[in-house]
């Protein structure tokens, strides 16, 4: 069904590049339109879990992922204020044959861009879309330069502020969650253990893990607050504000924060999962369809799953049947993942007696039933969209 079909993909992020390769490998003629002057990724680290790694392996990118990332061995949950490990989730021992990886966003984008080009994808830069028109056949794009592009099939991988999503659903304003996040990286000597560490405190938490073989420390720090912060990946903040927010945390954490000179800051907003992911010759995936809060490390993994399923559906049937099938295969799972991420935000920020009771429960589970804490996410990590 895809042999020789022309597909236009908006956005050269994770979702756009991986869906471009998936479609091209099945015979489509794919063009990616990216508004930036170069393919690059802001931000720092992300985590690829087994459900996402299976997609990369099926697309022939498993070796590239292994070469450009670091295997994660465990997750430590730590009392950020009193100190001391609450529980360890031992990934290496409990899930020895599965792939959990720490990877720099820029490194992942590089390997995906190389993979897309190797599959024959054309990537056009400096392509800013002003309007998306659906309802006419075929979908049409009006570009900032005045050019109009007719698309045989349009895929919106254009992120939080997707024009394709708006064309399908209208504009729905997100709401501020009452949380902001700082992110930064710090140079290290390369001897960091391959462990994600989550320091939990009242109304705030901090996550850190190694990147690039331990030469960088990735830091994401989240605080609950009433004040609004803009939803952007490119704002910077006074490092003093970050240090004050975590001044009650253990010296180890405060020492890292003292070294940060230019943290990025973004407000965390909750967007609803789109009601319509497809229609009129267009489809959306990744953040364009279902933005999620960063508390389950599944944003990139959901995009990888979406890409495989969308390409698989289009390879099996004409778009009129394939696109509804794509949404039907993905929507229930995605809503469950987004809900689980929302719940994690609450669990990390407990205070007082509720926190003491929750930490006690985690310690007892870690001591007497360590498998239970990881097994409750079997539904997430064991899922394989490439099977069948």
């Amino acid at each position: 069904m895809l042999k020789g079909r022309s597909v236009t993909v908006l956005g050269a992020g994770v979702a756009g590049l991986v869906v471009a390769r998936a479609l091209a490998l099945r015979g489509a003629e794919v063009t990616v339109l990216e508004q930036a002057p170069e393919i690059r990724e802001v931000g720092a680290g992300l985590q690829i879990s087994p459900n996402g790694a299976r997609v990369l392996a099926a697309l022939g990118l498993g070796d590239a992922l292994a070469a450009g990332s670091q295997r994660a061995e465990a997750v430590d949950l730590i009392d950020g204020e009193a100190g001391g490990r609450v529980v360890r989730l031992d990934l290496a021992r409990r899930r020895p044959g599965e792939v959990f990886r720490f990877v720099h966003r820029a490194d992942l984008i590089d390997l995906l861009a190389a993979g897309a080009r190797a599959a024959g994808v054309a990537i056009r830069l400096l392509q800013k879309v002003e309007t998306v028109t659906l309802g006419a056949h075929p979908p049409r794009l009006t570009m900032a330069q005045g050019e109009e592009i007719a698309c045989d099939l349009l895929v919106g991988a254009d992120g939080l502020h997707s024009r394709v999503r708006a064309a399908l659903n209208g504009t729905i304003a997100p709401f501020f969650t009452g949380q902001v996040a700082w992110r930064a990286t710090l140079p290290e000597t390369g001897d960091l253990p391959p462990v994600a560490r989550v320091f939990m405190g009242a109304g705030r938490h901090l996550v850190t893990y190694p990147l690039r073989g331990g030469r960088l420390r990735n830091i994401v720090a989240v605080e609950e607050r009433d004040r609004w912060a803009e939803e952007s990946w490119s704002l910077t903040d006074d490092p003093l504000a970050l240090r004050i927010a975590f001044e009650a945390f253990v010296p180890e954490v405060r020492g890292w924060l003292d070294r940060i000179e230019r943290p990025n800051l973004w407000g965390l907003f909750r967007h609803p999962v789109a009601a319509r992911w497809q229609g009129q010759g267009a489809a959306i995936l990744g953040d364009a369809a279902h933005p999620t809060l960063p508390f389950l490390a599944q944003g990139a993994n959901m995009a990888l799953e979406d890409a495989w399923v969308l390409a698989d559906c289009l390879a099996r049937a004409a778009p009129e049947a394939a696109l509804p099938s794509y949404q039907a295969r993905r929507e229930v799972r995605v809503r469950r993942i987004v809900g689980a991420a929302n719940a994690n935000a609450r669990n990390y920020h407990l205070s007082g007696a509720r926190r003491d009771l929750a930490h006690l429960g985690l310690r007892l589970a870690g001591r007497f039933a360590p498998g239970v804490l990881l097994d409750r996410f079997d539904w997430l990590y064991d899922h394989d969209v490439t099977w069948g």
Side-chain angles (χ1 to χ4, degrees):
M1 289 293 179
L2 279 171
K3 186 70 173 178
R5 179 179 289 276
S6 174
V7 182
T8 302
V9 177
L10 297 190
V14 171
L17 292 171
V18 75
V19 77
R21 178 173 171 87
L23 291 166
L25 289 176
R26 289 168 171 83
E29 297 177 0
V30 185
T31 300
V32 175
L33 303 181
E34 168 57 45
Q35 66 178 348
E38 59 182 339
I39 296 180
R40 54 185 169 80
E41 182 63 60
V42 297
L46 55 80
Q47 299 176 53
I48 300 297
S49 52
N51 49 305
R54 291 185 190 103
V55 173
L56 292 174
L59 291 174
L61 299 175
D63 290 343
L65 174 65
S69 64
Q70 184 171 3
R71 183 164 185 170
E73 292 185 358
V75 178
D76 283 342
L77 302 183
I78 299 166
D79 188 326
E81 297 170 358
R85 187 166 67 198
V86 176
V87 69
R88 165 165 284 206
L89 308 180
D90 194 333
L91 305 175
R93 187 168 65 88
R94 299 296 306 180
R95 294 177 173 269
E98 297 184 352
V99 177
F100 291 84
R101 292 273 173 183
F102 303 132
V103 60
H104 198 291
R105 285 178 180 271
D107 298 340
L108 181 62
I109 289 294
D110 286 347
L111 77 87
L112 292 177
R117 289 191 172 106
V121 174
I123 300 175
R124 295 174 56 189
L125 304 175
L126 293 171
Q127 301 296 308
K128 182 174 175 57
V129 176
E130 290 291 346
T131 59
V132 174
T133 303
L134 304 179
H137 295 285
R140 300 188 71 84
L141 307 176
T142 302
M143 312 302 290
Q145 302 92 329
E147 177 187 7
E148 288 205 353
I149 299 174
C151 307
D152 182 21
L153 182 64
L154 176 63
V155 176
D158 45 345
L160 288 174
H161 307 293
S162 169
R163 293 188 182 277
V164 186
R165 173 180 170 132
L168 287 168
N169 295 272
T171 301
I172 301 174
F175 68 88
F176 181 48
T177 63
Q179 298 176 89
V180 298
W182 293 270
R183 56 183 168 79
T185 57
L186 292 172
E188 296 288 357
T189 60
D191 58 355
L192 296 180
V195 174
R197 304 173 72 194
V198 183
F199 292 81
M200 303 175 291
R204 68 207 69 227
H205 77 278
L206 181 144
V207 181
T208 183
Y209 53 82
L211 295 172
R212 292 178 172 168
R215 300 190 305 277
L216 282 179
R217 176 184 298 279
N218 188 66
I219 291 176
V220 178
V222 177
E223 178 196 30
E224 295 178 5
R225 63 161 68 165
D226 295 328
R227 300 188 307 281
W228 175 85
E230 182 179 348
E231 187 178 32
S232 170
W233 284 87
S234 57
L235 294 177
T236 57
D237 194 28
D238 185 338
L240 182 60
L242 171 58
R243 292 165 193 155
I244 291 173
F246 288 84
E247 62 185 355
F249 271 42
V250 293
E252 184 179 23
V253 169
R254 298 201 309 270
W256 299 329
L257 302 185
D258 285 344
R259 295 166 53 198
I260 295 175
E261 298 179 354
R262 192 178 173 85
N264 289 100
L265 172 70
W266 80 101
L268 299 181
F269 287 72
R270 189 172 296 171
H271 299 249
V273 175
R276 296 183 64 200
W277 298 22
Q278 52 75 36
Q280 302 170 321
I284 52 177
L285 76 166
D287 282 349
H290 45 75
T292 184
L293 295 177
F295 302 133
L296 199 58
Q298 284 300 300
N301 292 289
M302 285 194 290
L304 294 172
E305 290 186 356
D306 287 350
W308 179 275
V309 174
L310 178 56
D312 183 60
C313 288
L314 287 167
R316 293 171 183 261
E320 309 82 64
L323 296 183
S325 176
Y326 155 65
Q327 181 170 350
R329 285 173 60 179
R330 293 295 297 147
E331 188 170 3
V332 171
R333 174 169 169 81
V334 159
R335 289 185 181 276
R336 186 177 183 185
I337 294 172
V338 170
N342 295 342
N344 261 8
R346 295 188 296 270
N347 295 337
Y348 289 157
H349 293 178
L350 299 176
S351 61
R354 291 181 64 200
R355 180 178 66 178
D356 294 341
L357 184 60
H359 286 194
L360 176 61
L362 288 171
R363 288 188 172 98
L364 291 174
R367 181 174 179 182
F368 296 108
V372 170
L373 296 174
L374 274 178
D375 292 347
R376 66 193 179 105
F377 287 112
D378 283 351
W379 64 271
L380 176 60
Y381 300 136
D382 289 352
H383 193 72
D384 186 356
V385 295
T386 72
W387 180 259

